[in-house]
Amino acid sequence: MMPSAARKSTAKIIVMISTLLLTAPGFGQNTIEGDWMLYLYGPGIGNPGSNEAKPSIEGKLSLNQAGRGWTGHVEGGPVSVDTKGNQIEILVDSRDLAGFRFFRRLQGEFTGQAMMGSFTIEGYTEQSEPGGSWIAKRFEPPQPSQTRGPVDITGIWTPAPGVDFRKYSMDLTDEAASWFENYLAHYDHPNVRCVSPGIVAMVAWGAYPFEILDSMGRLTFLYEVDSEVRRIYMNGKAPPEYYPPSAMGFSNGNWNGGTLTIETQLLEGNIRDFRGEPVSEGARMHEQYQLSEDGNTLSAVITLLDPKNYKQPPIRRRKWVRNSATEIYPYECDPDSFYRQMYNEDKLDMYFGRSQRRLIE
Amino acid sequence: MVDHIWKTGLFMLLLLTSGAVYGHHSFAVEFTAQRTITLTGTVAEVWFRNPHVRYYVEVVNADKQIENWDVRTSSPSLLVRKGWTKNTIRVGDNIVIKGHPGREGRKLLSVISIRLPDGSILGQGPGPTEYDTTPESQP
């Protein structure tokens, strides 16, 4: 039998080693590496009318070990991640509906297959949120809808709030970060001068309805904003020779069960969102649409594939409700008031001196 | 009289049901959401066009000088769905506007609500946001 002093020493060593292992950043954290789906719950989260029964916001969380710590991304944008033992804290920046940046601080516990906890809001938001609870489950690639396709998605669709994280910062490449550093949204954003911001920004835009028509081997999306028209060829049609890059690009779609997948190519250089991060000419967009069982809600997951500008593909999630009580209203845009304001403020020279900012390649 | 009651009722409905809207670029770029101010002035020009409806309003300041304010609301197609048309506010109307002022002291105002000469109020919710959560109202 081991002498008492030796037992004590051995026990001390075991305790020390255990303590070191449990508190070391690397220990136990391998279990969280990988992709997760993150769900936020709470009254008013992302939508003043939401309740706690359904997740109000969801997004893909990716965790990768980096040295003794972690790098994290939500919807393709960087987040800070700290762990201690089985405790985890994730800080996610989002923008509110008015464009203000704020943070959700998620704190909780994890096991190898699940995380859960509560979150609080930090920073100013135009529409305040009280915080709530969150869970994360291991990410599984979305399965095609079991509904037999194609399904009828024709009609007019009005944006519904919620679902999207509205991730504020994205993981820009050095080239994109350098370009974006001097971006002045009010002067450089195409829509302020009545120029289309392109489908990548518009498809996630919350304000306006759009209509879907189905005819002649194509789906036609009529967007109220900017009166844009988008054709999605369902018959494998290839773009004509010399078809130029454009704001809407060239889209092909197909049904897999009840899931509509759209691939868009030939996008022109443009911007991703209100903030104005660049989308390069040659970028592609991947969308997956699903219709709810009752046929009244259309959901989409939208992924931008643009490795020139983004180290991780930015992801948006949108939802629309069927609205037969409206029509697509006319939309003509006149930039006169935009230029007049700069004239009144003696900023026209500054504006035209920045013309290169409005050529994105 | 009936017309006046109808109008008042419509505007009160607008006030109660209007979700805020701001469709085209980030509100945060130009306005300070943390501050609100109220102005009284006379409409000098109505610019009911996309991307944003603007009212150019003359306001007499404390020094009895006229200031020209650029007062902005949402886009026409989102406003007209609520019955707020280009004829709702006319040149010469004396109006009281509550809103978020422009950054850096610029004389811009993003509308929260407008009181019309007849006392009725046009509302745009607590502040401009990206989309309209209001159920469709049929004119």
Side-chain angles (χ1 to χ4, degrees):
Chain A
M1 189 164 177
M2 195 181 291
S4 172
R7 283 207 309 271
K8 272 188 179 175
S9 298
T10 306
K12 274 185 181 174
I13 290 167
I14 291 171
V15 168
M16 282 174 62
I17 291 171
S18 300
T19 305
L20 282 171
L21 283 172
L22 284 169
T23 56
F27 183 77
Q29 294 177 341
N30 288 332
T31 56
I32 64 170
E33 181 139 25
D35 293 338
W36 301 76
M37 275 305 292
L38 188 55
Y39 302 94
L40 271 53
Y41 298 78
I45 306 304
N47 169 15
S50 67
N51 58 48
E52 293 185 57
K54 292 182 178 176
S56 298
I57 293 175
E58 57 187 69
K60 186 179 179 183
L61 166 68
S62 301
L63 297 171
N64 291 290
Q65 194 149 21
R68 295 172 67 83
W70 294 91
T71 58
H73 291 83
V74 167
E75 301 290 56
V79 296
S80 69
V81 179
D82 283 314
T83 59
K84 189 173 183 182
N86 68 338
Q87 306 287 314
I88 187 165
E89 180 176 283
I90 305 168
L91 190 63
V92 189
D93 64 346
S94 290
R95 68 170 173 77
D96 71 1
L97 298 177
F100 287 93
R101 186 189 195 192
F102 70 100
F103 291 86
R104 294 188 178 98
R105 186 178 295 276
L106 283 61
Q107 294 172 308
E109 297 181 351
F110 63 85
T111 66
Q113 294 304 314
M115 305 184 202
M116 64 184 65
S118 59
F119 69 93
T120 53
I121 303 297
E122 297 175 8
Y124 181 84
T125 59
E126 175 71 6
Q127 292 180 326
S128 61
E129 292 183 2
S133 59
W134 64 277
I135 63 169
K137 301 173 184 172
R138 285 287 179 186
F139 177 81
E140 292 178 8
Q143 298 299 311
S145 161
Q146 294 304 307
T147 309
R148 208 168 157 186
V151 295
D152 182 7
I153 59 171
T154 60
I156 295 179
W157 298 93
T158 298
V163 186
D164 193 28
F165 247 97
R166 298 177 185 282
K167 183 73 178 67
Y168 188 83
S169 54
M170 284 295 151
D171 204 351
L172 298 175
T173 61
D174 291 345
E175 183 181 352
S178 173
W179 184 88
F180 185 57
E181 193 175 15
N182 296 315
Y183 193 82
L184 296 176
H186 178 59
Y187 299 107
D188 301 333
H189 194 287
N191 220 228
V192 297
R193 62 183 192 280
C194 298
V195 171
S196 173
I199 189 59
V200 178
M202 280 176 52
V203 74
W205 221 320
Y208 301 88
F210 74 107
E211 183 172 18
I212 300 177
L213 309 176
D214 184 358
S215 64
M216 301 167 59
R218 70 180 73 155
L219 294 170
T220 306
F221 287 14
L222 304 171
Y223 293 94
E224 181 169 300
V225 61
D226 291 315
S227 297
E228 283 283 18
V229 177
R230 182 185 181 201
R231 298 168 183 85
I232 294 109
Y233 297 97
M234 302 298 291
N235 52 9
K237 182 184 176 85
E241 194 175 10
Y242 307 121
Y243 192 87
S246 65
M248 293 291 107
F250 188 94
S251 297
N252 291 99
N254 67 76
W255 289 98
N256 185 359
T259 301
L260 171 65
T261 300
I262 302 175
E263 305 286 351
T264 300
Q265 59 179 314
L266 287 169
L267 292 166
E268 67 181 5
N270 214 315
I271 47 92
R272 186 188 74 85
D273 196 7
F274 285 82
R275 292 192 68 202
E277 306 111 315
V279 171
S280 65
E281 185 173 311
R284 302 170 75 98
M285 185 170 70
H286 173 91
E287 299 158 89
Q288 284 203 312
Y289 290 80
Q290 288 193 340
L291 188 65
S292 64
E293 280 185 18
D294 66 6
N296 289 325
T297 303
L298 187 64
S299 303
V301 181
I302 304 136
T303 307
L304 173 63
L305 304 168
D306 185 6
K308 181 182 174 188
N309 288 318
Y310 300 91
K311 295 176 188 172
Q312 299 277 334
I315 300 171
R316 301 294 303 270
R317 293 169 204 274
R318 297 303 298 171
K319 209 167 56 172
W320 300 267
V321 291
R322 195 183 286 282
N323 188 347
S324 57
T326 192
E327 295 294 339
I328 299 300
Y329 278 39
Y331 189 104
E332 285 86 31
C333 194
D334 185 342
D336 182 280
S337 58
F338 170 64
Y339 293 110
R340 190 199 306 193
Q341 180 184 333
M342 286 187 292
Y343 174 79
N344 288 337
E345 296 179 348
D346 202 19
K347 289 181 176 171
L348 279 173
D349 286 347
M350 177 279 294
Y351 174 78
F352 288 113
R354 297 177 59 80
S355 288
Q356 286 302 313
R357 303 292 312 177
R358 295 177 275 279
L359 286 175
I360 305 173
E361 295 179 345
Chain B
M1 180 66 180
V2 172
D3 188 48
H4 176 73
I5 293 171
W6 184 87
K7 276 186 178 174
T8 304
L10 174 63
F11 292 144
M12 290 308 290
L13 185 67
L14 283 169
L15 173 64
L16 293 171
T17 61
S18 288
V21 283
Y22 201 79
H24 302 94
H25 53 277
S26 174
F27 166 80
V29 174
E30 287 198 278
F31 299 94
T32 54
Q34 293 89 337
R35 279 186 64 215
T36 59
I37 62 172
T38 301
L39 299 174
T40 300
T42 303
V43 178
E45 184 179 344
V46 175
W47 189 261
F48 205 83
R49 297 186 179 189
N50 286 306
H52 292 286
V53 172
R54 302 189 191 210
Y55 297 101
Y56 294 97
V57 178
E58 293 180 347
V59 176
V60 179
N61 66 18
D63 298 325
K64 310 289 185 194
Q65 302 295 309
I66 291 179
E67 294 179 347
N68 296 301
W69 283 75
D70 178 347
V71 176
R72 296 192 202 168
T73 68
S74 183
S75 76
S77 68
L78 298 177
L79 291 180
V80 297
R81 282 186 163 91
K82 307 169 193 293
W84 180 338
T85 73
K86 66 179 181 181
N87 296 320
T88 300
I89 297 174
R90 295 170 180 271
V91 171
D93 281 353
N94 192 256
I95 58 176
V96 181
I97 317 139
K98 181 181 177 186
H100 298 284
R103 292 184 181 278
E104 300 162 357
R106 296 163 75 196
K107 291 183 175 50
L108 311 175
L109 196 67
S110 180
V111 172
I112 297 172
S113 64
I114 298 178
R115 194 169 78 216
L116 300 181
D118 67 0
S120 57
I121 295 175
L122 293 170
Q124 198 170 265
T129 65
E130 180 183 311
Y131 56 56
D132 184 357
T133 57
T134 309
E136 196 73 15
S137 67
Q138 291 300 297

